[in-house]
Amino acid sequence: MALYSEKVMDHFQNPRNVGKMDDASGVGEVGNAKCGDIMKMYIKVEDGIIVDCKFNTFGCGSAIATSSMATELIKGKPIEEALELSNQAVVEALDGLPTHKIHCSVLAEEAVKAAVKDYYDKNGIEYDKEKFAQTHDCDHCAE
């Protein structure tokens, strides 16, 4: 059995929505140089809908694939729906990840939340701080 699904390989080799967005409504950056994965997510919001999103990721193939898939899953969605994106949804959309790479999907979830939080902060929108608690628990990052 292959270590990575065809979808993971496709999103790694042909990532969607890569790049910087100068006019982003919200920007979130998560990760840790110690674990080697850093994700920066950009969202453009119009009338409560994420009309565009981009990402820049420094990291492994799984980090790139999960960033790419996360942007695909939130584009065109209401911002509140994007906020509900879970790392498990990203993993399922990619047809799975090796256990030791699940932390990449957690980073993707956190990058989306960080971008939404930045959007809320910039626009004075109140939010439940509990929804934005980071859960990344990469063993490498704790070293």
Side-chain angles (χ1 to χ4, degrees), residues 16-37:
R16 283 62 151 184
N17 309 306
V18 175
K20 184 179 178 185
M21 187 184 297
D22 291 325
D23 62 343
S25 305
V27 180
E29 185 171 338
V30 297
N32 187 311
K34 286 183 181 179
C35 100
D37 297 320

Side-chain angles (χ1 to χ4, degrees), residues 17-137:
N17 309 306
V18 175
K20 184 179 178 185
M21 187 184 297
D22 291 325
D23 62 343
S25 305
V27 180
E29 185 171 338
V30 297
N32 187 311
K34 286 183 181 179
C35 100
D37 297 320
I38 300 172
M39 296 180 184
K40 193 166 194 176
M41 187 81 57
Y42 305 84
I43 58 172
K44 179 74 173 168
V45 180
E46 293 176 6
D47 298 321
I49 305 293
I50 297 175
V51 296
D52 197 11
C53 50
K54 302 268 186 226
F55 78 91
N56 285 319
T57 293
F58 177 82
C60 66
S62 294
I64 293 166
T66 56
S67 299
S68 174
M69 181 55 80
T71 62
E72 288 288 282
L73 292 171
I74 67 169
K75 191 185 259 187
K77 300 282 196 281
I79 197 158
E80 295 82 14
E81 190 175 326
L83 188 54
E84 299 302 318
L85 178 71
S86 70
N87 76 295
Q88 190 58 39
V90 174
V91 171
E92 289 172 8
L94 288 169
D95 293 337
L97 281 174
T99 303
H100 67 284
K101 293 295 183 178
I102 295 296
H103 73 276
C104 294
S105 66
V106 174
L107 281 175
E109 174 188 336
E110 289 178 352
V112 170
K113 287 181 178 178
V116 170
K117 180 182 180 302
D118 184 53
Y119 167 75
Y120 285 166
D121 287 343
K122 286 178 178 175
N123 291 280
I125 300 169
E126 291 188 30
Y127 54 86
D128 179 0
K129 291 181 183 0
E130 292 290 316
K131 287 187 176 184
F132 296 94
Q134 290 193 352
T135 57
H136 183 212
D137 62 356

